[in-house]
Amino acid sequence: MEASTRALSLLLLGLLLMSFPGALGTNPGLVARITDEGLEYVAREGLVALQSELHRITLPDFTGDFKISHVGRVRYEFHSLNIRSCELLGSALTPLPDQGLSLSISDSFIWVQGKWKVHKSFLKLRGSFDVQVKGITISVNLLLGSEPSGRPTATASSCSSHIRDVDVDFSGSVGWLLNLFHSQIESKFRKILESKICEMVQKSVTSDLQPYLQTLPVTTEIDSFAGIDYSLTEAPQATAQMLDVMLKAEFFNHDHRSPVPFLAPIMSLPEEHNRMVYFAVSDYVFNTASLVYHEAGYLNFSITDDMVPPTSTIRLTTKSFRAFVPQLARQYPNMNLELRGAVVSAPFLNFSPGNLSLAPQMEIEAFVLLPSSIKEPVFRLSVATNVSATLTFNTNTSKITGFLKPEEVRVELKESKFGVFNVKLLEALLNYYILNTLYPEVNDKLTKGFPLPLLKRIQLYDPVLQIHKDFLFLGANIQYMRV
């Protein structure tokens, strides 16, 4: 029974505890919701796993005695018990509000074969027996919690088991003798099994389920300098029909983790039940990613003349600027220019029903490359653009991926050592670079995406995505990939 409990528990809790406890009192960046349909699927898969594992269980030997007139007390022993077949006909997994989960298995049948021995003084007899255990019912309440290290805990807060009927049939030369006392033996068999079931459940939760949960990482590495924190913000919340798991879901820099200067929004999740599991991924997740990559200078860029296409009507040389900035060409004749750009602040992704957008603001500073290798600043530009975004879910990698589609940029002269000049030609050059080089590089990064907090052997399929105010709502069905 220990192995059967492990098989079912790992599937149940593995799906439901997709993440790990963390700081309390903050809004989650991501909410994983398991619906009643998801719980039903888990229960069905659990029965399949349990039925397979039951055949591998070694049942304990047990002994007893009974009194025969004119003979005295005779001692018996039952050993080499093997489960030959089993039928698990019913199971249910239901949330326990403010606690966790209740697992019940009912109407189950097990057929056990084994051997018996009887001895009295010098008399020793042996034979075989069959046991039919009918109407097995098991009820276990699992309390979901956390520990200070920020990892999940699961304890069996209560367990009860009941066996409706035990029918033992003995064979052998004096099997008839044991059959005379079958009521006594069957009663003892029932009591031993009922107590052993819950003992093994408690042991399995402690020695199998809890260590399994401890193997889950608190953080997921995204690349060489960014990771995502998937710790829980509070204990899982069970209601009558679902279980919600609240995750921090915050990107951070590997080298220096600093507090995020904004909070995750409060999300109002729609009452959807068409999929087994839903993930509400707030703008907080994407915007902490933007903050990390912005602070790392990922969106900084530099343009030099050798990067300008040969067909361009403007070159990054002072000679090319002679027509509209004559002072620049006179003061720095026949010299190259370099444009250095940076996003002013981390661009935030805006969620509105059915729409995703962002409006990054850039500053570009132009430098003259002097013969002494000194870079002399000469003017500064402000660059704005509106960008539409698309989010998708890759079922093969279980990652959320993105794609940005920018509009043409708008350029404004902010500062110049040579007075006001027309920036239209520069606007054309910047449009070419930003649309053909900068954003393709960003999109290449976004196609790699970031993973949802799923445990191994869990795969999502049939996804559906909705864009709501402040969050992405992803629904999917679950498939447990058996080894």
Side-chain angles (χ1 to χ4, degrees):
M1 191 63 68
E2 178 179 352
S4 63
T5 304
R6 179 178 68 250
L8 187 57
S9 297
L10 294 186
L11 179 59
L12 300 180
L13 268 294
L15 287 170
L16 297 171
L17 287 179
M18 294 181 178
S19 175
F20 334 97
L24 298 178
T26 59
N27 297 329
L30 187 154
V31 176
R33 169 168 291 179
I34 316 298
T35 65
D36 52 355
E37 186 176 345
L39 296 177
E40 288 174 8
Y41 172 81
V42 172
R44 290 195 302 270
E45 283 295 308
L47 279 186
V48 174
L50 177 59
Q51 204 155 273
S52 174
E53 289 292 332
L54 277 174
H55 290 281
R56 306 174 188 174
I57 294 173
T58 301
L59 296 176
D61 301 343
F62 68 93
T63 60
D65 57 40
F66 52 85
K67 186 176 181 180
I68 301 177
S69 299
H70 309 298
V71 176
R73 304 206 70 82
V74 177
R75 188 164 184 81
Y76 61 84
E77 177 186 343
F78 293 88
H79 64 95
S80 303
L81 283 70
N82 292 308
I83 295 177
R84 305 301 298 174
S85 68
C86 62
E87 292 183 16
L88 305 180
L89 303 178
S91 69
L93 180 66
T94 56
L96 285 176
D98 302 322
Q99 294 185 52
L101 299 168
S102 176
L103 170 65
S104 61
I105 299 173
S106 59
D107 267 341
S108 298
F109 166 86
I110 298 177
W111 173 32
V112 179
Q113 287 185 326
K115 297 178 180 180
W116 59 263
K117 294 179 182 178
V118 169
H119 55 90
K120 171 67 177 178
S121 302
F122 59 87
L123 177 65
K124 293 183 180 180
L125 302 170
R126 64 187 64 207
S128 61
F129 67 89
D130 288 274
V131 179
Q132 294 187 43
V133 184
K134 305 174 184 177
I136 302 173
T137 300
I138 306 169
S139 180
V140 183
N141 289 346
L142 294 169
L143 180 65
L144 310 181
S146 63
E147 61 184 19
S149 66
R151 296 185 181 275
T153 61
T155 56
S157 58
S158 66
C159 176
S160 63
S161 63
H162 175 71
I163 296 172
R164 187 184 69 244
D165 184 40
V166 176
D167 185 13
V168 183
D169 182 34
F170 300 98
S171 63
S173 57
V174 292
W176 60 270
L177 181 61
L178 291 173
N179 279 320
L180 294 176
F181 301 93
H182 72 276
S183 295
Q184 177 187 343
I185 294 173
E186 288 169 357
S187 176
K188 186 168 184 178
F189 211 133
R190 177 186 291 107
K191 290 179 181 179
I192 290 174
L193 284 178
E194 286 177 345
S195 63
K196 198 67 178 177
I197 286 171
C198 280
E199 177 187 327
M200 290 183 174
V201 166
Q202 296 280 2
K203 181 180 178 182
S204 181
V205 170
T206 302
S207 61
D208 296 312
L209 175 59
Q210 185 59 32
Y212 174 79
L213 296 178
Q214 293 291 302
T215 66
L216 299 173
V218 174
T219 59
T220 298
E221 184 174 299
I222 303 300
D223 52 34
S224 59
F225 59 86
I228 186 167
D229 181 348
Y230 273 138
S231 60
L232 264 67
T233 59
E234 57 182 291
Q237 297 295 310
T239 63
Q241 292 183 311
M242 64 191 70
L243 184 128
D244 286 346
V245 183
M246 281 64 69
L247 299 82
K248 191 172 187 178
E250 176 184 299
F251 274 77
F252 63 91
N253 189 305
H254 286 310
D255 296 331
H256 59 280
R257 187 166 183 173
S258 55
V260 177
F262 51 87
L263 298 176
I266 297 175
M267 294 183 285
S268 179
L269 275 62
E271 294 294 328
E272 297 279 353
H273 296 275
N274 295 328
R275 296 294 190 273
M276 298 178 188
V277 63
Y278 287 91
F279 295 89
V281 188
S282 79
D283 58 11
Y284 181 82
V285 182
F286 303 94
N287 293 337
T288 56
S290 180
L291 188 67
V292 167
Y293 287 101
H294 174 262
E295 290 177 349
Y298 185 79
L299 297 178
N300 295 351
F301 61 91
S302 175
I303 311 175
T304 53
D305 187 62
D306 59 337
M307 300 167 64
V308 178
T311 56
S312 175
T313 57
I314 185 172
R315 312 299 307 177
L316 285 182
T317 64
T318 56
K319 180 180 179 180
S320 183
F321 277 66
R322 185 188 304 275
F324 53 95
V325 195
Q327 301 99 315
L328 175 62
R330 285 196 297 269
Q331 186 168 338
Y332 302 102
N334 299 317
M335 294 184 187
N336 285 340
L337 294 169
E338 179 183 350
L339 301 181
R340 284 187 176 181
V343 178
V344 175
S345 60
F348 283 0
L349 190 59
N350 300 309
F351 285 72
S352 59
N355 184 60
L356 292 168
S357 63
L358 62 159
Q361 299 287 327
M362 300 182 188
E363 277 198 355
I364 297 179
E365 191 162 12
F367 297 85
V368 174
L369 304 180
L370 301 178
S372 61
S373 298
I374 294 176
K375 297 181 180 182
E376 182 70 24
V378 289
F379 60 83
R380 185 166 54 88
L381 306 172
S382 173
V383 180
T385 185
N386 294 322
V387 180
S388 61
T390 303
L391 295 175
T392 56
F393 179 70
N394 188 322
T395 54
N396 294 324
T397 62
S398 298
K399 289 184 177 182
I400 293 176
T401 60
F403 181 83
L404 301 181
K405 185 179 180 181
E407 297 176 2
E408 290 192 348
V409 301
R410 304 178 300 279
V411 180
E412 180 184 351
L413 181 65
K414 302 296 291 185
E415 182 181 348
S416 172
K417 291 185 177 181
F418 306 102
V420 178
F421 61 89
N422 193 327
V423 296
K424 284 299 181 183
L425 287 175
L426 273 175
E427 191 171 78
L429 174 64
L430 291 172
N431 264 310
Y432 179 87
Y433 175 80
I434 289 173
L435 297 179
N436 292 280
T437 302
L438 181 62
Y439 274 97
E441 290 178 358
V442 174
N443 281 329
D444 183 61
K445 183 72 175 177
L446 293 177
T447 57
K448 295 180 173 63
F450 67 91
L452 288 175
L454 298 177
L455 297 183
K456 58 184 178 181
R457 296 194 295 276
I458 300 299
Q459 187 170 348
L460 302 181
Y461 70 97
D462 199 14
V464 57
L465 280 78
Q466 302 172 10
I467 304 299
H468 293 264
K469 178 175 169 52
D470 298 330
F471 66 94
L472 165 72
F473 198 53
L474 167 63
N477 289 322
I478 300 168
Q479 184 173 9
Y480 180 69
M481 309 301 291
R482 298 192 190 97
V483 179

